[in-house]
Amino acid sequence: MSDKKMTGGHPGGHPGGGHPGGHPGGKPGHPGGGHPGGHPGVHPIPQKNADGSPPLRLIAWEITRSCNLACKHCRAEAHPEPYPGELSTEEAKALIDTFPETGDPIIIFTGGEPLLRHDVFELVSYANDKGLRCVMAPNGTLLTAENSVQLKEVGIQRCSISIDAAEAKYHDDFRGELGAFDQAMKGIQYLKDAGIEFQINTTVTRNNLHMFKDIFKLAKDLGASAWHIFLLVPTGRAAELGAEVISAEEYEEVLNWFYDFQKTTDMQLKATCAPHYHRILRQRAKEEGIPVNFENFGLDAVSRGCLGGVGFCFISHRGQVQPCGYLDLDCGNVREIPFPEIWAKSPQFLNLRNPDTYDGKCGHCEFEKVCGGCRARAQTMEGSYLGPEPLCSYEPKKKPKK
C-alpha cells in the first residue's frame, strides 16, 4: 500500500454539506491531506493538557445554521437569514481566544452555509492571526472568483465540497436544489484558481453505492487532494431517508471495498462516521501480514475511529458544545461556561473518554480503543449515546464485563 499523506476529514466531519453546510464534524486537515470535518494531521502534541484533558485536535464550528440548500440528510434547511441566537462577532472572537487553551485544534468553519455569515472573513482572519489552522466546509454553490480569493487571503487552507454523484441529476435531487452540481463544479474551479486545496466528501446511501468509482474518478480528475466518504447518521432529515440508509451488512461490505480500493490510488482517502473501519483495517491487515503503522496506513493507523469528545467536538451557532454535529447532546454552552472548562470537565465528554462506561458489545469489544462505535448512531437508533453501535455486525470475542 502506498504511503498515505498526513491528513487532517468529521465535513465531517465532517464538512462540505453533510451536516448543515457540511459535516459538523466533518472535517480539512493539515497540508498534504486532510479532513474538513475529519481528523487532524499527525504532529507532535502533548498527551494531556495542563488541566488533564486530552488535546483537542479538531473543532467543527457551526458559525451559522443559515443555508441556501435543503439537503436530504441534513438538519439545516433553506433559510438565508441568520437564525435567532447566533453568537455575535464579539462573542465569536472571545470564543476563538479560548481555543488555544484546549490544544492546537484545527478549526472547521462550517454551517449551514458558512459563507452566509456576514463576518465570516473577519472571524477566519482573527483565528488565523492566533496561529490556528483554518479550513472551511462550504457547499460550493455560493463560491465566486472574488470570495475564493478573499478566503485565501484571510487564511483558509482547505475547503471540502460535498459531491454525492458523478452526474448532476442525483446530486441535485439529494441536495434539494436544481443546478447545485454545476454550481459546485464552478465553485471548485474558483477554489483552484485562488490556490486553495479542496477535498471531495461523499455521503454513502444505497442509491449512490454503485457510483463510487465514478465519483472517485471525478474527484481525481478535478484535482482533489482527498476523497472522504461519510457513513450516514440517521438524524434530522436523514432519519426520514428510510430505504436509502444501508444496513450493517452493507456497511461491512462498503468498508471492506474501501480497504481494497485504497491500495489502488495515491490520493488520500478516508472513511468518516465509520469507526468500525478501524477494526476492519486491522483484521484485513493481519490476514495479509501487513504491519498497521503510519507508513502503511497513514492516519488510520494512529487515530481512533470515533473522536467525538475525545479529540473532536462541535460548537453550534448558539454556542452549544456537542461531541459531534450528529450527536445532539448538550455538554455545556460557551455563553455560560468557558469553552476550555466544558472540554475538560463535561460529564458526557468524560464518559466518552472511558470505554468502561459503554454498554452492550461496544463495552467489551477487543477493538474498543481503536473503534469506539458511532455514539451518534447509538443515540438515535438505540436511545443511548453509550449504547452499542447499531450498524456494526461484528460480534466481539471478549467476554462481557461483569
Side-chain angles (χ1 to χ4, degrees):
M1 180 174 291
S2 60
D3 185 0
K4 300 296 177 189
K5 298 176 181 178
M6 288 190 179
T7 82
H10 183 328
H14 304 192
H19 297 322
H23 289 269
K27 318 144 190 167
H30 280 293
H35 190 316
H39 305 156
V42 178
H43 53 81
I45 52 176
Q47 292 302 305
K48 289 187 180 296
N49 292 323
D51 57 17
S53 64
L56 183 52
R57 302 168 62 194
L58 189 71
I59 299 171
W61 184 13
E62 179 192 68
I63 57 172
T64 181
R65 189 174 284 190
S66 302
C67 194
N68 61 315
L69 300 181
C71 305
K72 285 186 175 181
H73 61 317
C74 182
R75 64 186 180 188
E77 56 190 49
H79 185 291
E81 298 80 20
Y83 276 75
E86 283 188 2
L87 297 180
S88 68
T89 301
E90 293 70 26
E91 287 175 315
K93 286 184 175 180
L95 177 58
I96 291 170
D97 287 339
T98 69
F99 288 162
E101 297 177 41
T102 63
D104 183 24
I106 296 166
I107 313 303
I108 304 167
F109 288 83
T110 183
E113 168 51 57
L115 289 174
L116 285 176
R117 176 151 175 147
H118 73 283
D119 58 359
V120 58
F121 301 107
E122 183 179 353
L123 296 182
V124 173
S125 179
Y126 188 80
N128 186 61
D129 288 345
K130 295 282 182 184
L132 296 165
R133 176 171 167 79
C134 301
V135 297
M136 185 173 283
N139 61 42
T141 64
L142 298 185
L143 288 167
T144 65
E146 293 74 23
N147 64 23
S148 295
V149 170
Q150 199 169 357
L151 287 174
K152 177 71 172 179
E153 290 174 345
V154 296
I156 290 295
Q157 298 187 37
R158 178 181 284 201
C159 285
S160 63
I161 305 293
S162 286
I163 301 295
D164 299 300
E167 58 186 37
K169 183 177 182 301
Y170 177 80
H171 177 88
D172 289 357
D173 179 61
F174 196 67
R175 297 284 155 182
E177 176 78 18
L178 187 65
F181 181 86
D182 291 338
Q183 291 170 354
M185 291 299 109
K186 290 179 182 177
I188 287 171
Q189 187 59 51
Y190 292 136
L191 292 175
K192 292 167 67 174
D193 293 344
I196 298 177
E197 269 191 2
F198 71 97
Q199 70 182 55
I200 298 298
N201 292 349
T202 300
T203 297
V204 181
T205 69
R206 183 166 285 122
N207 284 343
N208 70 354
L209 277 175
H210 67 284
M211 308 177 192
F212 266 33
K213 288 187 178 179
D214 291 335
I215 298 171
F216 169 76
K217 184 178 184 302
L218 174 63
K220 187 173 182 180
D221 291 346
L222 288 170
S225 296
W227 181 44
H228 291 195
I229 65 169
F230 284 77
L231 282 295
L232 195 66
V233 179
T235 185
R237 279 197 299 278
E240 302 169 9
L241 286 177
E244 287 194 39
V245 180
I246 65 176
S247 67
E249 290 70 25
E250 288 169 317
Y251 267 67
E252 198 82 1
E253 292 176 14
V254 169
L255 295 177
N256 272 283
W257 171 85
F258 196 70
Y259 174 88
D260 290 323
F261 188 69
Q262 287 198 85
K263 301 174 183 178
T264 69
T265 178
D266 287 331
M267 185 187 289
Q268 191 264 321
L269 306 183
K270 180 103 183 136
T272 300
C273 298
H276 28 314
Y277 179 69
H278 289 253
R279 164 183 55 83
I280 289 171
L281 182 154
R282 284 158 178 81
Q283 289 174 312
R284 294 289 305 278
K286 183 178 180 180
E287 291 171 2
E288 298 170 3
I290 301 173
V292 178
N293 54 32
F294 184 83
E295 288 67 34
N296 289 331
F297 293 100
L299 187 60
D300 284 337
V302 295
S303 183
R304 185 176 185 266
C306 180
L307 285 177
V310 179
F312 169 80
C313 75
F314 173 83
I315 304 174
S316 81
H317 64 295
R318 294 185 176 186
Q320 177 178 307
V321 181
Q322 304 173 193
C324 81
Y326 287 132
L327 181 47
D328 192 8
L329 196 66
D330 187 356
C331 300
N333 193 292
V334 301
R335 282 176 163 145
E336 301 165 359
I337 306 170
F339 175 65
E341 183 177 337
I342 295 174
W343 176 249
K345 299 179 180 179
S346 159
Q348 296 94 333
F349 286 169
L350 294 177
N351 282 338
L352 290 168
R353 295 165 193 168
N354 179 13
D356 287 341
T357 64
Y358 294 4
D359 299 322
K361 65 182 184 180
C362 285
H364 64 92
C365 181
E366 62 269 34
F367 294 100
E368 64 183 4
K369 290 183 179 177
V370 297
C371 171
C374 176
R375 299 298 97 214
R377 278 194 289 264
Q379 176 68 38
T380 58
M381 299 175 73
E382 297 291 327
S384 169
Y385 73 99
L386 296 174
E389 156 70 74
L391 292 182
C392 175
S393 60
Y394 180 72
E395 288 300 326
K397 307 236 175 347
K398 288 171 61 178
K399 293 182 179 179
K401 298 168 185 173
K402 295 182 179 179

